[in-house]
Amino acid sequence: MPHQSDLHSLTRRKLLAAAGAVAVAGFAPHAGTGVAQTNRGVTWEELAPGGALPIPRWDHMLAVDESGQRLLLFGGRDGNGAALNDTWLFDLESMTWTQLTVAGPDARFGVAAASDPNRNSAVLFGGQVGDVFYNDVWSFSFDSATWTQLHAGDGAAPGARYGLGGVVDDANRFIVSHGFTFAGRFDDTWSFDLNVQVWTDVTPVETIRPLNRCLHEQVWDATNGVMILYAGCSSGFGPCPQGDTWAFSPDAGNWVELTPSSGPEARSNPA
C-alpha cells in the first residue's frame, strides 16, 4: 500500500497505487470493466492502464496533483528489496502511465512525502538506501514535471532517517515526525517553511508526545488544523506494532492523544 500521501486536496476521487496496480475510490466512479465492491456507498474499481507500466514495488512515494487527476510515483523497493529512483505520472483521464526522464532524488525508499496544493507540487524528505539515510528535501512540480532540491540537509535540519510521515499544512509548512535509523527510533517533530526553505525543530518540550517509532502514517486534517499520526513500530521503546492515534497542532505546538476505546488492530506501514 502507499507509504505516504496527503490526499486532502482531492475534490472528487482519490488515486491509489501499489505494486504496479491502480485503483480509484469514490462515491461515483466512472463506468468500466472492473469488478466493484460496495460498502456503505463507497465503491472500488480496478483500472487497467494502457501502455508501459511501473515495475511492482513497495515502500515508495505517492502524491496527487491539485486537480486530483494525476498521481506521482517515485522510488521505493523492487521485489528483491533494491532501491529505485524512477519517476512516473499516472493520468486518470487518459488512463496511462508515463515515465519521466528527469533528474531528481537519488534512489531511496521509506521517504516522508506530501502533496502541496498551494504550488501544485509534491514534497519529499529523507529515505534510505542500503546503510545510507537521507535528510534532504525535494519538490516535484506537476506543472513543469521537474524535481528541485529545496534543502541539502546541512545546518539546522532533522537527522537523516527512514520510515516517517509528512504533511503540508495550511500555512505552507512541511511537517515531518519520528522515523528510524540503525541507531534507533526518533520522537522529534520538525517544520520546513516552504516559503523561506528553513527548518525549525517544533518538538514539544514536555514529554507528552507519541512514543519513538517508525513506519507510521501522518495526514493533515484541514478542518481542525492538526496533523494526525497513527500506528507504527516502537521496537526498543514499546509495542511493535502500535495502534494509537495522535494529533499535533503546529500553532499550539503540542500533541494530544486521540486513541479511542476501539478501532483498527495495531499495525505498521498503514496507509
Side-chain angles (χ1 to χ4, degrees):
M1 289 299 296
H3 189 88
Q4 315 294 337
S5 58
D6 178 13
L7 304 180
H8 75 270
S9 65
L10 287 180
T11 56
R12 299 188 313 184
R13 296 188 180 96
K14 295 179 181 178
L15 280 170
L16 300 172
V22 181
V24 170
F27 290 94
H30 63 79
T33 59
V35 177
Q37 294 186 356
T38 302
N39 181 34
R40 298 183 181 178
V42 179
T43 61
W44 281 99
E45 180 183 6
E46 184 174 0
L47 308 182
L53 301 174
I55 66 169
R57 66 193 63 206
W58 59 291
D59 224 356
H60 48 285
M61 170 188 179
L62 289 174
V64 293
D65 71 352
E66 185 178 9
S67 70
Q69 301 301 301
R70 290 180 297 170
L71 176 73
L72 169 68
L73 165 66
F74 170 77
R77 314 191 209 192
D78 67 13
N80 297 316
L84 304 168
N85 71 336
D86 50 344
T87 301
W88 293 75
L89 283 176
F90 176 75
D91 186 278
L92 186 62
E93 295 300 324
S94 65
M95 289 283 290
T96 57
W97 281 101
T98 301
Q99 184 173 8
L100 305 180
T101 55
V102 294
D106 294 335
R108 64 188 70 186
F109 51 83
V111 304
S115 298
D116 178 5
N118 298 314
R119 294 168 176 79
N120 197 26
S121 64
V123 191
L124 173 157
F125 166 80
Q128 178 187 357
V129 55
D131 59 357
V132 176
F133 294 87
Y134 292 95
N135 69 335
D136 48 352
V137 181
W138 291 77
S139 175
F140 178 85
S141 169
F142 284 100
D143 295 325
S144 64
T146 57
W147 285 101
T148 302
Q149 188 179 59
L150 303 182
H151 198 282
D154 51 351
R161 63 191 69 185
Y162 148 89
L164 69 162
V167 304
V168 172
D169 72 2
D170 297 333
N172 297 320
R173 295 171 294 196
F174 179 47
I175 304 171
V176 300
S177 195
H178 293 66
F180 164 89
T181 68
F182 295 136
R185 287 162 173 78
F186 297 92
D187 67 348
D188 53 345
T189 304
W190 289 75
S191 174
F192 184 74
D193 191 316
L194 289 164
N195 296 320
V196 297
Q197 299 177 11
V198 172
W199 280 109
T200 301
D201 187 348
V202 293
T203 308
V205 294
E206 69 270 14
T207 58
I208 301 175
R209 55 180 179 265
L211 194 64
N212 306 54
R213 72 187 65 201
C214 62
L215 304 179
H216 51 285
E217 183 60 282
Q218 294 168 216
V219 295
W220 178 247
D221 174 3
T223 300
N224 296 297
V226 295
M227 176 179 72
I228 305 297
L229 179 149
Y230 169 68
C233 176
S234 295
S235 290
F237 296 89
C240 182
Q242 287 272 18
D244 50 349
T245 305
W246 293 75
F248 176 76
S249 169
D251 294 330
N254 66 333
W255 285 98
V256 175
E257 185 169 6
L258 304 177
T259 308
S261 58
S262 62
E265 293 182 7
R267 61 196 67 193
S268 295
N269 262 343

